[in-house]
Amino acid sequence: MAPLKNTLKAKLKKGQAAIGTMLVLVRNPAVVHVMAEAGYDFLMVDMEHSAYELSTFTDICFTARAYKLPVLARAPGHDYVHLARALDLGAAGIIVPRVEHGQDAENLAAAMKYPPEGIRGAALKGAHTGYVTESPDFFRKMNKETFLAVQIETKLGVENVREIVSVKGVDAVLVGPTDLSVNLGCPGELHHPQMTQALKEIVSACNECGVAPGIHIPSVQDAEDMLHRGMRFVGVGTDLRLLGNAASGEVQAIRSTIAERS
C-alpha cells in the first residue's frame, strides 16, 4: 500500500492557504470526524505541552486516514526518537519547536527521511502503512509525502530564518507567536513593531525559498489578519478554545433570554 498522498503538502505547494486547528484536550479519536466534517485542511496534535499518550495519538492518526486528513505531531523536542516514532505511528508530518539554526533544520529533515535522503530507520507494515505490505518504491514515496514544519519562536530563529528555510526538506514555518513575542520582549503583542518586523522577515524568507509561511493564532480575526500578512499555513485555536467559546456563547445567549423574561 502506497503512503497516502499528503493533501496539505500538495495544497501548500500550489501556493494555496491551508487552515487547521490543534488538539490539546480531546482524546476520543471521534474528534477527527468532527474536525474533518468541519472542513479543516489539517490537524495538529500537541505532544509538547499536552498529555496525549502514544496509543491515543496512533488512534487519532489512523482514524484520520479514513478522511485523508493530515495529522501533524507537534513534537516535544528535536530528538530523533520523537520525530521518527510519530511518523511510524501515522503522522503525516512533524512540527518541531524552537528551531534556531540551519543545522537544526538539516538534522530534523534527515531524521524524517529514509536513506539515501536521511537516516530514518525502517519500521515496516505499521500504522504509517495502514498495517499492510509496502510497495517496492515505498521509501521513495514516503520521503516525498512527509511534511516538516519548523517553529520560529525566538529572536535568534528570526535572525537565521533564511538559513533555516533554505534547507531541503523544510516544507513550512509555523511561528509560535506567544513564545516569539515573549522572546522579543513584547509578550502577547502580535501587533508590536518588533513582531510586525519579525513576521515580515519570516514571510519574505519563506517566499524566497519556496517554503510556506505559517503561524498558530487563537482567533478567526487573527487568522484573517495573518492571511493578509502573507501567511498560508495557518493554525487557528484549539479544541479546548472551540469548546469553551461554543459553551460560553450558548450559556450567555440562554441567560440573556432568561433576563429578558424576568
Side-chain angles (χ1 to χ4, degrees):
M1 179 179 180
L4 288 178
K5 185 170 180 59
N6 193 325
T7 54
L8 169 63
K9 188 166 184 172
K11 191 166 192 172
L12 293 174
K13 280 290 185 183
K14 293 177 183 177
Q16 299 173 352
I19 305 300
T21 193
M22 182 174 283
L23 303 183
V24 301
L25 177 69
V26 179
R27 301 185 190 183
N28 190 324
V31 69
V32 174
H33 171 82
V34 176
M35 298 305 186
E37 290 295 323
Y40 286 110
D41 296 306
F42 64 95
L43 290 181
M44 302 175 282
V45 179
D46 189 1
M47 308 288 281
E48 181 184 11
H49 298 297
S50 297
Y52 286 101
E53 296 178 350
L54 294 176
S55 57
T56 302
F57 176 72
T58 303
D59 291 342
I60 289 172
C61 290
F62 202 69
T63 302
R65 287 181 70 92
Y67 297 94
K68 296 182 173 59
L69 181 64
V71 172
L72 309 177
R74 204 255 288 268
H78 293 209
D79 292 351
Y80 168 84
V81 65
H82 296 315
L83 313 180
R85 195 170 192 184
L87 292 173
D88 288 343
L89 294 179
I94 310 292
I95 300 167
V96 186
R98 291 184 175 266
V99 177
E100 297 183 316
H101 301 279
Q103 187 61 55
D104 294 339
E106 290 183 14
N107 294 342
L108 296 170
M112 293 178 59
K113 304 292 185 183
Y114 293 113
E117 294 179 45
I119 60 170
R120 180 180 171 186
L124 304 180
K125 207 170 184 178
H128 58 317
T129 70
Y131 300 104
V132 297
T133 303
E134 305 78 19
S135 60
D137 59 350
F138 165 80
F139 298 109
R140 179 185 62 81
K141 288 184 176 180
M142 185 64 84
N143 280 351
K144 182 180 178 182
E145 298 300 335
T146 50
F147 181 89
L148 170 60
V150 297
Q151 288 204 267
I152 302 297
E153 302 180 282
T154 64
K155 181 179 179 181
L156 183 57
V158 175
E159 291 173 353
N160 292 328
V161 65
R162 279 177 172 73
E163 174 187 317
I164 292 167
V165 297
S166 66
V167 172
K168 182 179 179 181
V170 174
D171 298 292
V173 164
L174 187 73
V175 174
T178 302
D179 279 324
L180 181 56
S181 65
V182 169
N183 195 264
L184 292 176
C186 50
E189 298 183 52
L190 288 181
H191 296 281
H192 190 280
Q194 289 191 67
M195 279 293 290
T196 297
Q197 181 59 33
L199 296 180
K200 184 177 180 180
E201 291 178 19
I202 291 168
V203 170
S204 175
C206 286
N207 289 339
E208 287 178 12
C209 296
V211 169
I215 192 167
H216 182 216
I217 34 74
S219 71
V220 172
Q221 292 75 20
D222 290 327
E224 292 172 345
D225 174 44
M226 291 302 163
L227 287 165
H228 286 306
R229 296 200 205 187
M231 298 295 184
R232 294 191 291 111
F233 174 51
V234 181
V236 186
T238 65
D239 55 350
L240 175 58
R241 186 179 181 87
L242 289 167
L243 179 61
N245 286 349
S248 177
E250 291 200 357
V251 170
Q252 289 177 20
I254 293 169
R255 290 197 185 283
S256 294
T257 300
I258 293 173
E260 289 172 1
R261 293 183 178 183
S262 300

